[in-house]
Amino acid sequence: MTKPPKKQNVLSLLAEDPQGRALGLDLPPGAIITGSAGRTLPWSAARREPLLWVSDEPVGVGALAACRARIAGAGAGLQAVLLHERRGLEGWWTRDELRPAAMSDPDDHHVEPVLREFWAGVVPDPEEGEGPDGAGLIAPFGRDWPGLAEHRTPREDPEEVALALADELIRDGVLPGPRLALVPAGRGADVPTAMGWQGAANHENDTALLTTVVRSWEERFGARVVALGFDELHLSVAAPPPTRVAALPVAAEHFAFCPDNVWQGSGSVRAYADEAVTGLGHWGFWWD
């Protein structure tokens, strides 16, 4: 049986036309970033090509919106996000830190088993007792996985919410030196895995598992990937839980997904629900 012809990675076109004029993208000056050799895992075997395009200079308010509008019109199979720097990690995407070969296929995973396993790995040992480092850390939940938070219906367009958040984060200086980036991926949640991002490596080496969770958040809360740092991930949320009761199960998911947000932040799942989840349209994650 004859195999269908392999679809060309659109980034190959940008190598010769770096501003994407032939695709109608009209990009600022930028460069193609390639990954390291030796990719062998099945999902990555076909990705022996450029990983992403990144603008040479930081971009300002409105840049992500303009780029996403052009991409939608071109049907180029790309996702536009922001990459941001921090002192000592300038241009981290050029430092051979991207490893798509290390990732499995997100389609092979399901969100509930992924989060259940994450939860089991971060809940406190029973020997810690009832104190803030023990049962108090995860109260009102116990050591058993509490299950997925309920789906919420967005009242606003998730894409518009994402673009508004991107501009807000740029204006407020939350994203130092934001660069525009284009990644070949079918949906925004797939971007970290497609580019081989390893920002959560101290918690989970296989970024496809994180993508599985973010895909579910896209569907349940209208979440969208807005920006990535070396070890940070920023999501917009079009349907955040409006009350503490609704936010607590989401906070439990966040603790399983990114325990440093609680361990080195709010101090407990209950406090985190109040401070970082209830009614908030920005979910930010940082892995130590």
Side-chain angles (χ1 to χ4, degrees), residues 55-121:
S55 65
D56 290 340
E57 300 294 334
V59 297
V61 169
L64 186 63
C67 185
R68 286 190 177 182
R70 294 189 188 105
I71 286 174
L78 296 168
Q79 298 293 327
V81 296
L82 299 171
L83 304 182
H84 70 91
E85 303 176 316
R86 74 168 185 254
R87 184 170 298 180
L89 290 170
E90 293 83 1
W92 54 265
W93 49 87
T94 67
R95 299 186 180 190
D96 199 29
E97 295 282 353
L98 305 178
R99 309 256 180 209
M103 314 308 167
S104 61
D105 185 343
D107 289 343
D108 291 340
H109 308 291
H110 300 280
V111 63
E112 185 117 36
V114 169
L115 282 173
R116 183 183 295 113
E117 185 170 350
F118 283 173
W119 178 263

Side-chain angles (χ1 to χ4, degrees), residues 43-64:
W43 190 63
S44 301
R47 298 189 58 77
R48 303 177 187 276
E49 298 176 337
L51 297 181
L52 69 161
W53 172 96
V54 182
S55 65
D56 290 340
E57 300 294 334
V59 297
V61 169
L64 186 63

